């Protein structure tokens, strides 16, 4: 019997799993997003890069945050937990969990996560981002109590034994930010497909070399001369690949034309811009942040930035309760009788400048008031 044998610690496994699905390159977007929303929105972000770029911009512009404990003696432990907490199998820190959670929230309209508990150590083992399409939410016995279940591969439901560890949030109505974009994106993809086909047909220049034999006996050798002309023309064209320029010299009536030169490609700037305007208005991102150089005035750009700020504040309000719940769970696990709050960073440098200017004016006003009070005394 080994007295000093190492004790095996049971592994803390999450109950929510997220699996990647294969995405086909051909994209046929249906008009309705109800049956397969998750797969549809994944393919939508895959096929239209501007939508994926807008969502990633929103996540980055939401900014960083800091969890603050009401009891200062646990603040250092809380900050260490926020930096080192494992998130899934690939990342660490509560910021990574927040970014993935917000990404799912914007894409699918709802997001779910889990606080994984180590039953042996009675502490938080890590955080897990779940798959919202495999999660079923029902009401419990109380009016505002939620019950969670996970859908298995065979369609059966497995009830989650600890619903208090589940983190859930949704946008207004539970609808995705991309709702309404599949139809417009389908039109946009068809336009781009037609542009590619037109360039395949007319963009790669091809030549029609026509030899017209004369009446005085050239018809007998027309086939040999046509083959010789074709050989020399092909040799001249292929030589240009290696930087050699060869002139084509021939005797007789030879006509050379560019195939498709009379047909002009359609101007797609207007329809593409109209569709992109609808997409940008839905995503609430200023066009200049997505590389769209549309002519806008400085006043209009300022208004767009203000609208974006209000949108980011809305997303912060959705994420704040989730972060507070994680922080409160950690403080409770370490035996602290404290609560957690979230301090968000300012969204942009304009806010920093406005706050600095306001603090300067307040300090000047306080100095003037103090000077007047001293003069009165």
């Amino acid at each position: 019997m080994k007295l000093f044998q190492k004790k095996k610690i049971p592994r803390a496994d999450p109950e929510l799993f997220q699996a990647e699905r294969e995405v086909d390159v051909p994209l046929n977007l249906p008009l309705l997003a109800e049956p397969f929303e998750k797969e549809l929105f994944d393919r939508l972000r895959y096929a239209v890069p501007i939508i994926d770029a807008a969502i990633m911009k929103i996540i980055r512009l939401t900014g960083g945050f800091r969890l603050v404990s009401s009891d200062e003696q646990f603040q250092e432990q809380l900050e260490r937990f926020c930096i080192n907490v494992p998130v899934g199998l690939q990342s660490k820190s509560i910021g990574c969990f927040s970014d993935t959670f917000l990404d799912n929230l914007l894409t699918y309209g709802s997001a779910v996560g889990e606080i994984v508990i180590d039953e042996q150590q009675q502490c938080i083992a890590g955080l897990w981002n779940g798959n919202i399409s495999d999660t079923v939410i029902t009401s419990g016995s109380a009016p505002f109590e939620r019950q969670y279940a996970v859908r298995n591969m065979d369609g059966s439901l497995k009830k989650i034994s600890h619903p208090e560890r589940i983190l859930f949030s949704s946008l207004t109505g539970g609808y995705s930010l991309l709702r309404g974009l599949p139809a417009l994106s389908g039109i946009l993809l068809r336009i781009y497909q037609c542009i590619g086909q037109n360039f395949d047909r007319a963009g790669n220049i091809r030549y029609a070399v026509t030899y017209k034999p004369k009446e005085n006996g050239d018809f007998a050798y027309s086939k040999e001369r046509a083959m010789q002309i074709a050989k020399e023309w092909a040799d001249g064209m292929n030589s240009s690949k290696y930087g050699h320029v060869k002139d084509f010299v021939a005797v007789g009536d030879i006509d050379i034309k560019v195939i498709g030169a009379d047909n002009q490609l359609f101007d797609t700037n207007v329809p593409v811009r109209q569709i992109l305007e609808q997409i940008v208005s839905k995503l609430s991102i200023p066009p200049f942040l997505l590389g769209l150089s549309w002519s806008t005035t400085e006043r209009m750009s300022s208004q767009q930035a203000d609208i974006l700020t209000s949108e980011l504040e809305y997303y912060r309000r959705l994420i704040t309760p989730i972060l507070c719940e994680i922080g409160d769970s950690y403080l409770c696990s370490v035996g602290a009788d404290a609560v957690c709050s979230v301090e968000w960073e300012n969204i942009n440098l304009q806010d920093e400048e406005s706050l600095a200017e306001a603090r300067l004016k307040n300090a000047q006003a306080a100095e003037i008031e103090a000077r007047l009070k001293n003069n009165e005394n």
Side-chain angles (χ1 to χ4, degrees):
M1 179 177 180
K2 297 181 180 181
L3 298 178
F4 300 99
Q5 185 177 3
K6 186 176 180 180
K7 185 178 179 181
K8 294 183 179 180
I9 300 176
R11 183 181 177 182
D13 294 328
E15 298 185 57
L16 295 174
F17 294 92
Q18 186 170 6
E20 297 292 336
R21 302 195 181 187
E22 295 182 356
V23 179
D24 297 331
V25 175
L27 182 66
N28 298 320
L29 296 176
L31 297 179
L32 298 178
E34 294 297 333
F36 309 101
E37 285 188 347
K38 187 176 186 300
E39 292 78 9
L40 173 67
F41 294 141
D42 286 338
R43 295 168 63 188
L44 186 62
R45 290 183 59 176
Y46 175 81
V48 186
I50 194 171
I51 296 178
D52 185 71
I55 293 180
M56 298 306 297
K57 292 277 186 189
I58 292 175
I59 295 174
R60 295 189 184 101
L61 291 173
T62 304
F65 58 88
R66 176 173 174 263
L67 296 185
V68 180
S69 173
S70 59
D71 193 343
E72 295 182 358
Q73 65 177 345
F74 295 99
Q75 181 61 36
E76 185 177 353
Q77 300 181 31
L78 180 61
E79 292 180 353
R80 192 182 306 113
F81 164 78
C82 293
I83 296 174
N84 299 318
V85 58
V87 179
L89 303 176
Q90 298 178 347
S91 58
K92 282 187 176 182
S93 82
I94 193 173
C96 294
F97 173 81
S98 174
D99 292 344
T100 306
F101 192 88
L102 182 57
D103 185 281
N104 294 336
L105 186 64
L106 297 176
T107 305
Y108 312 124
S110 302
V112 64
E114 182 182 0
I115 302 175
V116 184
I117 303 297
D118 189 342
E119 301 292 348
Q120 184 69 23
Q121 301 293 332
Q122 290 298 316
C123 64
I124 296 179
L127 303 174
W128 195 273
N129 291 104
N131 189 347
I132 189 62
S133 62
D134 293 337
T135 306
V136 178
I137 303 172
T138 58
S139 59
S141 57
F144 299 101
E145 180 184 358
R146 296 196 193 109
Q147 295 291 336
Y148 300 93
V150 178
R151 185 180 290 107
N152 297 321
M153 297 296 295
D154 57 356
S156 61
L157 296 179
K158 175 186 175 183
K159 185 177 180 181
I160 294 179
S161 56
H162 296 280
E164 69 279 359
R165 301 175 185 175
I166 303 301
L167 306 170
F168 174 79
S169 182
S170 64
L171 298 177
T172 303
Y175 298 119
S176 169
L177 184 66
L178 308 182
R179 188 190 186 197
L181 295 186
L184 292 175
S185 300
I187 298 174
L188 183 64
L189 292 177
R190 285 200 297 272
I191 294 176
Y192 286 151
Q193 184 179 7
C194 292
I195 293 175
Q197 292 176 350
N198 289 333
F199 270 94
D200 290 338
R201 295 169 182 171
N204 189 5
I205 298 178
R206 291 165 295 177
Y207 298 92
V209 182
T210 306
Y211 168 62
K212 300 178 181 179
K214 297 181 181 180
E215 297 179 357
N216 53 355
D218 285 349
F219 288 98
Y221 305 100
S222 60
K223 182 178 180 180
E224 289 79 2
R225 291 183 179 180
M227 294 177 62
Q228 185 180 8
I229 292 172
K231 179 181 177 182
E232 295 299 330
W233 180 263
D235 182 65
M237 293 293 102
N238 292 328
S239 298
S240 61
K241 297 180 182 179
Y242 306 99
H244 302 290
V245 178
K246 294 184 177 181
D247 296 329
F248 181 74
V249 180
V251 178
D253 190 1
I254 298 176
D255 186 19
I256 301 175
K257 291 183 179 180
V258 176
I259 298 176
D262 297 334
N263 297 326
Q264 296 182 356
L265 297 178
F266 289 103
D267 186 7
T268 58
N269 290 326
V270 175
V272 168
R273 176 166 177 172
Q274 289 179 349
I275 296 175
L276 289 180
E277 285 176 350
Q278 297 290 328
I279 295 176
V280 169
S281 64
K282 178 66 175 179
L283 299 174
S284 300
I285 290 289
F288 57 85
L289 291 180
L290 300 174
L292 301 176
S293 57
W294 295 341
S295 58
T296 56
T297 61
E298 183 178 357
R299 177 63 178 171
M300 184 180 298
S301 300
S302 177
Q303 292 176 350
Q304 291 175 348
D306 293 339
I307 295 174
L308 177 60
T309 301
S310 63
E311 292 287 334
L312 298 177
E313 292 290 346
Y314 167 66
Y315 299 137
R316 286 182 172 185
R317 291 197 302 268
L318 295 176
I319 297 295
T320 297
I322 303 299
L323 301 176
C324 290
E325 188 172 351
I326 297 174
D328 292 342
S329 300
Y330 173 76
L331 293 175
C332 182
S333 66
V334 297
D337 187 13
V339 293
C340 182
S341 60
V342 181
E343 289 185 357
W344 290 92
E345 297 177 356
N346 292 320
I347 293 177
N348 52 35
L349 295 178
Q350 293 181 355
D351 293 340
E352 294 279 359
E353 183 180 358
S354 301
L355 290 175
E357 185 178 358
R359 291 180 60 188
L360 176 61
K361 291 182 179 179
N362 290 334
Q364 292 175 350
E367 183 181 359
I368 295 173
E369 290 176 357
R371 191 183 305 133
L372 292 176
K373 185 180 293 185
N374 292 334
N375 294 335
E376 291 177 357
N377 295 333

